[in-house]
Amino acid sequence: MTASLHILVCPACLAVNRIPADKLSDRPVCGKCKKSLFTGRPLELTGLGFRKHLDKTTIPVLVDFWAPWCGPCKMMTPVFQEAASRLEPRIRLLKLNTETDQATAAQFRIQSIPTLCLFQNGREKDRQSGAVDLKRLLAWVSRHIGA
């Protein structure tokens, strides 16, 4: 694969799409279902959909491992949503509810929530636990991928 081509999984139908890097900012749509490949908000996924996004997507993927009963997780929700609007289409943002998808959370050794994990090409680059504000989140991401 050339460096000028990115693979993105559709948030709606999970089809795999190949998009030229210079077209990422042009609001690309899925070749199968014709829905937008970027929604401007984090995608809440579980199981196979989560794994497919993580394994197939060639842009960096930032994951918020969270649970609905967690106070700091609730504080992180608007921060993560704002981060999605600022970081897409350079980064895909996902949320995984550790309460409803305990197997996936265990697979990634999530021991505290919220935990943010940054992935590139399916591999974890870094993680941090605890709620952070938007400025700190954007700085952390920028340090790792230059976004």
Side-chain angles (χ1 to χ4, degrees), residues 64 71-81 114 116 130-133 137:
D64 177 14
C73 296
K74 290 177 185 178
M75 290 174 32
M76 274 296 301
T77 297
V79 171
F80 205 65
Q81 287 181 0
L116 299 174
V132 295
D133 62 25
L137 172 60

Side-chain angles (χ1 to χ4, degrees), residues 128-141:
Q128 72 175 26
S129 295
V132 295
D133 62 25
L134 183 62
K135 184 177 179 181
R136 186 170 164 203
L137 172 60
L138 296 175
W140 177 71
V141 168

Side-chain angles (χ1 to χ4, degrees), residues 54 59-65 80 87 90-93 115-128 137 139-147:
L54 202 59
I59 61 173
V61 176
L62 179 59
V63 180
D64 177 14
F65 291 92
F80 205 65
L87 295 172
R90 297 167 302 184
I91 300 173
R92 168 75 77 204
L93 281 80
T115 292
L116 299 174
C117 292
L118 184 62
F119 294 87
Q120 179 74 52
N121 296 317
R123 295 184 161 206
E124 186 175 332
K125 287 188 79 164
D126 196 16
R127 72 171 55 195
Q128 72 175 26
L137 172 60
W140 177 71
V141 168
S142 183
R143 272 196 314 275
H144 291 288
I145 61 165

Side-chain angles (χ1 to χ4, degrees), residues 32-86:
K32 182 177 179 184
C33 74
K34 307 301 183 212
K35 293 191 177 176
S36 180
L37 292 175
F38 293 103
T39 63
R41 65 184 191 283
L43 306 176
E44 295 193 36
L45 300 167
T46 60
L48 295 176
F50 176 81
R51 283 306 312 196
K52 190 168 188 179
H53 275 273
L54 202 59
D55 293 341
K56 300 286 184 184
T57 302
T58 58
I59 61 173
V61 176
L62 179 59
V63 180
D64 177 14
F65 291 92
W66 71 286
W69 51 262
C70 167
C73 296
K74 290 177 185 178
M75 290 174 32
M76 274 296 301
T77 297
V79 171
F80 205 65
Q81 287 181 0
E82 179 63 24
S85 71
R86 291 183 185 213

Side-chain angles (χ1 to χ4, degrees), residues 6-21:
H6 285 291
I7 296 175
L8 297 169
V9 177
C10 177
C13 73
L14 300 180
V16 176
N17 293 266
R18 287 166 182 77
I19 307 294

